[in-house]
Amino acid sequence: MDISKILKPEAVRVLGSMTSKKRLFQELGEVAASAYGLPAAVAIDGLQERESLGPTGVGHGIALPHARLEGLDRIVGLFFRLEKPMDFDSVDRQPVDLIFTLFAPKDSGVEHLKALALISRTMRDQQVCAKLRANQAPATIYAILTESRPQAAA
């Protein structure tokens, strides 16, 4: 599995700022609808439901919100870079500016976990994050995210 299989170029955005998680999830839902044809309300509800179990801010300015949805036939992703980091209740209490979101079919099980592990590995790479933060163009950010990297255990 590689990121180019789950992330479309049109699902990458650079945004100025977000005022709340609720507003961020609304924006993610709208992009999921336009890029993948997901019903925005279903995407938003899925993200909010998962977030209610515990925050998906994993530290170092990174959040990995994700949800399993009915009616989805494959794993899809979205990536947002925020110019102004926002509070995300992250484990390290640091604001978040890099947000990689995954939507997976309700019954995806292992594939969902593999996709999360791939995204987590990618986002733990400090060089990748530095490049993402240094670029404004969604096409460049997409290229950084999808460039092939050596596979390692999660």
Side-chain angles (χ1 to χ4, degrees):
M1 176 182 299
D2 69 38
I3 292 176
S4 66
K5 301 279 189 256
I6 57 177
L7 181 67
K8 287 182 171 181
E10 57 269 28
V12 176
R13 296 282 199 291
V14 175
L15 304 172
S17 66
M18 282 286 136
T19 54
S20 67
K21 268 192 208 182
K22 181 178 181 178
R23 181 67 197 112
L24 173 69
F25 289 170
Q26 288 171 338
E27 189 72 25
L28 287 165
E30 290 168 19
V31 174
S34 67
Y36 300 108
L38 291 175
V42 171
I44 294 164
D45 289 348
L47 290 172
Q48 289 175 329
E49 184 180 316
R50 167 56 190 85
E51 201 70 17
S52 72
L53 301 174
T56 54
V58 296
H60 305 288
I62 299 162
L64 305 176
H66 54 279
R68 293 181 192 213
L69 306 177
E70 293 288 345
L72 195 56
D73 63 353
R74 67 186 182 95
I75 297 170
V76 297
L78 300 100
F79 182 83
F80 285 11
R81 184 174 86 63
L82 304 178
E83 292 176 355
K84 183 176 182 253
M86 67 176 284
D87 179 41
F88 210 87
D89 301 319
S90 295
V91 294
D92 64 358
R93 302 195 192 292
Q94 297 300 308
V96 163
D97 63 341
L98 302 177
I99 300 150
F100 203 122
T101 303
L102 284 178
F103 293 107
K106 196 74 160 172
D107 59 357
S108 60
V110 172
E111 286 304 306
H112 181 214
L113 295 176
K114 284 182 181 177
L116 271 173
L118 170 66
I119 300 311
S120 178
R121 257 193 321 275
T122 301
M123 300 308 293
R124 274 197 312 252
D125 185 322
Q126 292 177 353
Q127 290 180 321
V128 169
C129 290
K131 288 179 189 176
L132 293 170
R133 289 182 171 116
N135 283 283
Q136 294 287 334
T140 304
I141 290 171
Y142 178 81
I144 293 164
L145 287 167
T146 57
E147 102 190 1
S148 73
R149 292 174 188 79
Q151 293 295 325

